[in-house]
Amino acid sequence: MDVVGPAVLPPPLREAGRTLVMGVVNVTPDSFSDGGRWFTPGAAVAHGLTLLEQGADLLDVGGESTRPGARRVPIDEERERVLPVITELVRRGVAVSVDTTRAQVARAAAEAGALVVNDVSGGLADDAMYGVVAETGVAYVAMHWRGHADVMDELDDYDDVVTDVRRELAERVDALRAAGVRDEQVVLDPGLGFAKPGASNWPLLARLPELVGDGFPVLVGASRKRFLGHLLAAPDGTPAPPLQRDHATAAVTALAAAAGAWCVRVHDVAASADAVRVAAAWEGVRGTTSGGAGTTSGAGTTREESR
């Protein structure tokens, strides 16, 4: 499997020979899946280190919930939540991503050692974001986005969701280039669950190779999303709660990895760490002509060896 990450990242994050696993560290009291469990810096750092032990390749630290209906956090508060966690994780040698839509937070995180800015708005929430990305040289995840959490469900209106998402992401790439951001910094994310509360997510997953084929590394964030809750609903139609969506998340991870995604962003790391290795081994064998064992780098490594 030829999975290559952004060229600006160190070799383990761009040439692992398999899809990477990004562990979620929510430093928020109101995340939809684990709000408040790791809200203090000490608890957040400890949780991040646990995710690394479970097989995470990098950690995504966020200080503002983007769940449906969430209210915005003052920028100073967001910065105060994430910077101590990022600083300590970087001090311990961890590869860190910051989950933010704000240029000021992105700059502060990059100065603290974050290697990736994961912007769910794709730069649409802050006009200064692209300038910061260009100046700092960090890897930048541009997610498909149409509006903030309080209005995004009203924006689920597509002619063909895959075609529309690819076109709108291409517009983000053009804007990034115009701002001086280099292609080798850019990662694309189809934005599962954002302006896509239900069925619109499935075509994006089924046709993920089309997005991968556009030439940029792809990040997939399906973990514990609502559309999985609807899929796993009880007989009376009640959606499965977030913590009961991890098995389905791991299944999506395996499929995304087989489709060539560079990275998956997940809450339950252990299952997805296993899933990406299964996908790499499967793709490695499938890609040979002799029918023997695959030769794809990393396909047979253990979690510890791959780190």
Side-chain angles (χ1 to χ4, degrees):
M1 188 191 311
D2 186 18
V3 179
V4 180
V8 296
L9 292 179
L13 298 182
R14 69 172 190 263
E15 299 171 355
R18 58 165 174 80
T19 297
L20 301 184
V21 178
M22 174 186 284
V24 178
V25 179
N26 287 322
V27 194
T28 62
D30 57 347
S31 169
F32 79 98
S33 68
D34 54 18
R37 294 184 66 185
W38 301 288
F39 187 43
T40 65
V45 169
H47 178 57
L49 296 176
T50 297
L51 295 181
L52 287 176
E53 292 173 357
Q54 293 173 350
D57 298 288
L58 66 165
L59 300 177
D60 194 38
V61 179
E64 181 178 44
S65 174
T66 53
R67 64 178 173 78
R71 294 183 178 181
R72 302 229 63 190
V73 173
I75 189 169
D76 289 342
E77 184 174 347
E78 181 187 355
R79 188 166 45 225
E80 290 170 4
R81 289 178 180 181
V82 300
L83 286 184
V85 179
I86 292 170
T87 299
E88 180 59 19
L89 288 172
V90 169
R91 188 186 71 80
R92 292 171 179 254
V94 179
V96 175
S97 165
V98 61
D99 179 2
T100 185
T101 63
R102 288 167 162 150
Q104 288 186 36
V105 176
R107 182 184 294 279
E111 291 172 351
L115 301 176
V116 181
V117 172
N118 181 18
D119 180 358
V120 301
S121 80
L124 293 171
D126 190 332
D127 292 339
M129 180 63 85
Y130 292 170
V132 168
V133 174
E135 291 169 22
T136 60
V138 293
Y140 178 70
V141 181
M143 196 192 80
H144 178 262
W145 185 87
R146 287 183 164 183
H148 286 290
D150 57 340
V151 298
M152 65 180 180
D153 284 356
E154 303 167 16
L155 305 174
D156 181 23
D157 182 17
Y158 303 92
D159 292 326
D160 177 284
V161 65
V162 178
T163 300
D164 292 350
V165 166
R166 288 176 68 194
R167 183 187 68 252
E168 291 171 32
L169 284 174
E171 292 170 356
R172 295 299 91 220
V173 170
D174 288 343
L176 283 160
R177 288 169 173 163
V181 178
R182 293 167 290 144
D183 282 6
E184 54 263 37
Q185 293 176 256
V186 178
V187 177
L188 300 181
D189 181 339
L192 301 178
F194 288 79
K196 309 168 196 73
S200 294
N201 297 280
W202 294 110
L204 287 167
L205 287 169
R207 293 167 59 187
L208 191 62
E210 296 180 35
L211 183 58
V212 171
D214 287 337
F216 290 92
V218 172
L219 173 71
V220 174
S223 185
R224 298 179 179 173
K225 294 281 177 74
R226 288 176 295 168
F227 74 100
L228 297 179
H230 293 306
L231 176 71
L232 305 174
D236 65 358
T238 303
L243 293 178
Q244 293 180 19
R245 303 171 191 171
D246 286 335
H247 292 167
T249 297
V252 172
T253 288
L255 295 170
W262 164 66
C263 188
V264 291
R265 179 183 183 275
V266 299
H267 300 82
D268 177 25
V269 163
S272 282
D274 289 343
V276 298
R277 286 163 176 80
V278 169
W282 180 62
E283 282 291 308
V285 172
R286 199 171 69 144
T288 63
T289 57
S290 64
T295 58
T296 299
S297 139
T301 59
T302 66
R303 291 180 191 163
E304 195 61 34
E305 289 167 342
S306 69
R307 292 206 300 274

